[in-house]
Amino acid sequence: MTPLHIGDRLPPYPRAKQSIAEQDSRKQTSDQRLSQSEGEAPALPSLTLSEWRFRELLMSLSRVAVQGYDRDRRVIYWNSASQALYGYSEQEALGRRLEELLIPDAMVSAVIDAHQAWVCHGTEIPPEELELKHRSGATVPVFSHHVMLAQSSDNPLMFCIDIDLAGERQARRDLDYMTRFDRLTGLPNRHAFEHDLAGMLEECRLHDDSLLILFIDLDRFNEINDTHGYEYGDKVIKEAARRLKSFRRSHDLLARFGTDEFVLAMPRVDVANDATQVADRLLETIARPMRIQNRELRINASVGLSLYPDNGSAVQELVGNADAAKTRAKQEGRNTYRFFSPEAHAAMVRQHRIAASLQRLLDQDGKADREGELSLAYQPQVSASSGYIDSMEALLRWTTAEGEFISPGEFIPVAERSELITRLEDWVLHHACQQQQRWRQQGLRRVRVDINISGRHAMMPGMFEECSRCVASYGLGPQDIGIELTENVLIEAGQSVLDSLRCLYDQGYKIAIDDFGTGFSSMSYLKFLPVTALKIDRTFVAECTQDPKDRAIMEASIFLGHRLGLEVIAEGVETAEQEALLQEMRCDLLQGYYYHRPTDAASIARLLRAGPLGLSGKTGSGAHGSREGNTRTSTGAKYN
């Protein structure tokens, strides 16, 4: 068989003064000379001008695998790219049949038939993706395009142009991996999990099986990233994933849903007997000490559980319900698990709506105040010895535009969890200062207004400095605005927070420990804290006239406060007996419904206009009023 060396023996294209027949004759003569050593001189076909140009194009495709075959499918052309793709050198390939070199056994008959159909009947072979065969036997994925030259002649030539798809196939595999799997842990991602879970649920339906979904969220993982860095955090995630892989059974589904979230689907779990045991063992598995970069770390998780078919039959419903139960587990203390319940879910939906409404109100930049949704009420603190109104506490109220009153006990915890509490307390500070400014402009007697600061807000850098600047911006001073914080907040505060608080103390601000007696109550801390007053919690006041122990705590607290030079305030005073006992104990200030309920600014103005003896509601506004109590939050802010 005579090889066809295109580059060596073809001009770029036929010159204008030469006929195609002359060029073909010249070419045939050259090929005959080259093949005399083999004793064979086949005549090459007559080619059109476009076919000559195609052959010139082949010469330029050094990086594309091109092979030429005669009518018997024997190789007449084999470029270097074909050698690289299929493993045969030009010398090894020339003269051998196509099906002997590249075609897998299962494709041989089809390839021969397709070639004959083109040669004999003009049925073209369409371009397509094929999996051909390497010399080693390995599969070679290509996109193959076929061209027939001189089809009407006795010696038609077929050229195959093959594009290697191995890189593209790998790219597809990589893309498929990235769209289905998490690179850090190797676990399926959310989309892959939901797809697989749909199939698993179908199997559960067919066989009437149960299924347990566990939504796992690592507790305080952000603190690990912030403290040790993201690389360390990645190692923690990988270790948590490894533990969960070892925990699951072979037929369970496990996926990474988010930064520190995993979801586990366990079919055929006896819900009545096994679900709680599974959750307990899972928490124990996560809580075992980890050794990361020579550091021992303990991390816990919050887990939510939903059950098929009790809590839903669809993928999104079951996973969403487990997520809701997980959120409740986090809210109720972390390192625990909760089962989904419709009632708890309804409560969570309401909390989300409250958070969204609060966000909207605060984003309106003061418009909420004009609409009257958020407002401040003020509850006087009365001198136990004289009945004078000495100061008052600002208390936040929320009545929606539809007229619904939302209790502080409901929306304050929501604000804390959604991190709106700092914005809400800024709103309280500014509006308390505005009201003080108005009362000053009206010439009313100067009475201090105390506001509550949550632990989250107190820990923010520069918070107390900003508070002082806000007060000054309204033309007010330390005698106009006071601060209340719970003892837990003060005890847990870092030195920088205490230093900032001390600056306010040195400026003359009143700083009270709120709800005294309900926190850590470490007496040794009191001598170091920059405070001016103790507010005895209402729980001790409520029973002090009947319970000797509460009376002893009350008396000791007042005595201790006075010995430390602190003012002592009792909150929650509701009866004449309580007032008499507190007066006997020489408590300084009394606050409660026996004197005044929290009321609006206009009512406070009327009290202050009554003169220096703005005496209490012993005239009727006290003991028989509403008994809504002070509402405490987990970080210490209190809004009555």
Side-chain angles (χ1 to χ4, degrees), residues 121-357:
H121 306 293
T123 305
E124 295 185 3
I125 299 174
E128 60 182 327
E129 288 190 18
L130 298 171
E131 291 194 349
L132 302 182
K133 184 173 63 177
H134 188 270
R135 179 178 183 175
S136 66
T139 298
V140 180
V142 297
F143 182 83
S144 189
H145 187 84
H146 311 82
V147 177
M148 190 73 77
L149 302 186
Q151 183 175 345
S152 58
S153 72
D154 292 335
N155 188 22
L157 304 180
M158 183 179 71
F159 285 89
C160 296
I161 305 166
D162 295 338
I163 299 173
D164 184 8
L165 295 181
E168 181 181 336
R169 291 275 179 91
Q170 184 60 46
R172 289 179 187 173
R173 287 192 291 270
D174 291 344
L175 180 60
D176 181 66
Y177 184 88
M178 289 187 337
T179 56
R180 287 183 52 80
F181 293 91
D182 170 56
R183 282 189 174 273
L184 180 63
T185 63
L187 291 173
N189 61 20
R190 175 175 186 165
H191 299 292
F193 176 87
E194 291 177 344
H195 176 271
D196 294 342
L197 180 58
M200 182 176 282
L201 284 173
E202 185 61 31
E203 288 292 318
C204 289
R205 278 188 280 271
L206 289 174
H207 298 96
D208 196 25
D209 285 332
S210 60
L211 184 136
L212 175 66
I213 300 288
L214 299 100
F215 201 112
I216 305 143
D217 190 325
L218 302 183
D219 292 337
R220 307 186 189 281
F221 178 73
N222 287 339
E223 295 178 12
I224 294 174
N225 277 336
D226 294 342
T227 303
H228 302 295
Y230 289 99
E231 182 180 355
Y232 186 91
D234 285 347
K235 287 182 169 59
V236 172
I237 292 294
K238 289 174 69 174
E239 173 59 18
R242 186 193 66 77
R243 295 183 179 193
L244 290 172
K245 289 176 185 177
S246 67
F247 180 84
R248 68 178 173 184
R249 303 168 300 177
S250 60
H251 55 283
D252 294 339
L253 295 179
L254 174 65
R256 186 185 182 196
F257 257 46
T259 302
D260 56 352
E261 295 177 334
F262 302 87
V263 179
L264 179 61
M266 306 182 74
R268 297 185 293 281
V269 171
D270 187 337
V271 172
N273 300 317
D274 297 338
T276 57
Q277 295 180 24
V278 167
D280 284 330
R281 287 192 292 108
L282 180 61
L283 291 176
E284 292 172 3
T285 298
I286 295 294
R288 291 199 309 266
M290 296 181 180
R291 192 75 181 175
I292 308 291
Q293 293 181 349
N294 294 322
R295 292 192 186 105
E296 185 174 286
L297 172 74
R298 290 180 182 270
I299 189 167
N300 298 314
S302 298
V303 179
L305 298 91
S306 66
L307 311 169
Y308 168 83
D310 297 356
N311 302 140
S313 58
V315 169
Q316 297 288 351
E317 185 180 16
L318 285 166
V319 173
N321 288 343
D323 188 9
K326 175 267 301 179
T327 301
R328 189 158 60 94
K330 286 188 109 49
Q331 292 175 353
E332 295 179 7
R334 296 184 172 89
N335 190 28
T336 189
Y337 61 86
R338 291 290 182 269
F339 284 88
F340 173 79
S341 72
E343 297 78 14
H345 181 64
M348 283 189 57
V349 170
R350 176 170 172 80
Q351 290 171 13
H352 283 296
R353 289 175 179 168
I354 287 174
S357 297

Side-chain angles (χ1 to χ4, degrees), residues 370-540:
R370 293 194 296 274
E371 292 179 349
E373 290 202 36
L374 292 179
S375 62
L376 289 181
Y378 302 88
Q379 186 172 32
Q381 296 171 343
V382 177
S383 169
S385 58
S386 66
Y388 284 76
I389 295 177
D390 178 89
S391 54
M392 63 189 76
E393 183 178 3
L395 305 165
L396 187 58
R397 294 289 183 264
W398 182 10
T399 302
T400 68
E402 293 75 28
E404 179 188 6
F405 174 78
I406 301 179
S407 167
E410 186 175 19
F411 73 80
I412 293 300
V414 170
E416 290 184 318
R417 288 194 293 269
S418 60
E419 300 186 354
L420 291 171
I421 190 65
T422 57
R423 295 184 62 190
L424 206 56
E425 290 177 346
D426 284 339
W427 189 95
V428 170
L429 173 61
H430 280 275
H431 283 72
C433 288
Q434 287 176 359
Q435 188 57 59
Q436 273 286 45
Q437 187 182 56
R438 293 190 191 102
W439 285 332
R440 292 274 303 278
Q441 291 168 350
Q442 294 169 14
L444 298 177
R445 183 164 59 88
R446 203 165 195 168
V447 175
R448 187 188 68 248
V449 174
D450 296 336
I451 62 170
N452 295 273
I453 302 295
S454 67
R456 184 186 296 273
H457 204 180
M459 302 304 172
M460 293 182 64
M463 180 271 158
F464 292 114
E465 291 82 354
E466 180 59 33
C467 177
S468 179
R469 285 191 291 271
C470 177
V471 171
S473 70
Y474 288 92
L476 306 175
Q479 68 273 34
D480 298 301
I481 298 292
I483 294 174
E484 295 184 5
L485 305 101
T486 64
E487 56 186 315
N488 291 356
V489 171
L490 288 166
I491 291 170
E492 293 172 2
Q495 191 57 48
S496 61
V497 173
L498 294 178
D499 290 343
S500 297
L501 201 56
R502 186 165 294 281
C503 289
L504 292 185
Y505 176 90
D506 292 340
Q507 294 173 40
Y509 279 89
K510 178 222 163 179
I511 303 169
I513 298 179
D514 196 12
D515 301 338
F516 184 75
T518 60
F520 295 121
S521 301
S522 175
M523 299 297 106
S524 63
Y525 275 96
L526 288 177
K527 62 181 180 181
F528 299 112
L529 295 176
V531 297
T532 63
L534 301 179
K535 289 192 76 173
I536 300 173
D537 186 71
R538 65 174 50 247
T539 56
F540 301 111

Side-chain angles (χ1 to χ4, degrees), residues 98-119:
L98 165 64
E99 57 267 26
E100 297 173 0
L101 295 172
L102 311 179
I103 307 303
D105 294 343
M107 293 173 56
V108 169
S109 296
V111 167
I112 293 174
D113 292 344
H115 180 261
Q116 290 300 313
W118 198 349
V119 170

Side-chain angles (χ1 to χ4, degrees), residues 605-621:
R606 286 193 293 272
L607 285 172
L608 296 178
R609 286 193 187 99
L613 290 178
L615 289 178
S616 72
K618 292 180 183 179
T619 57
S621 65

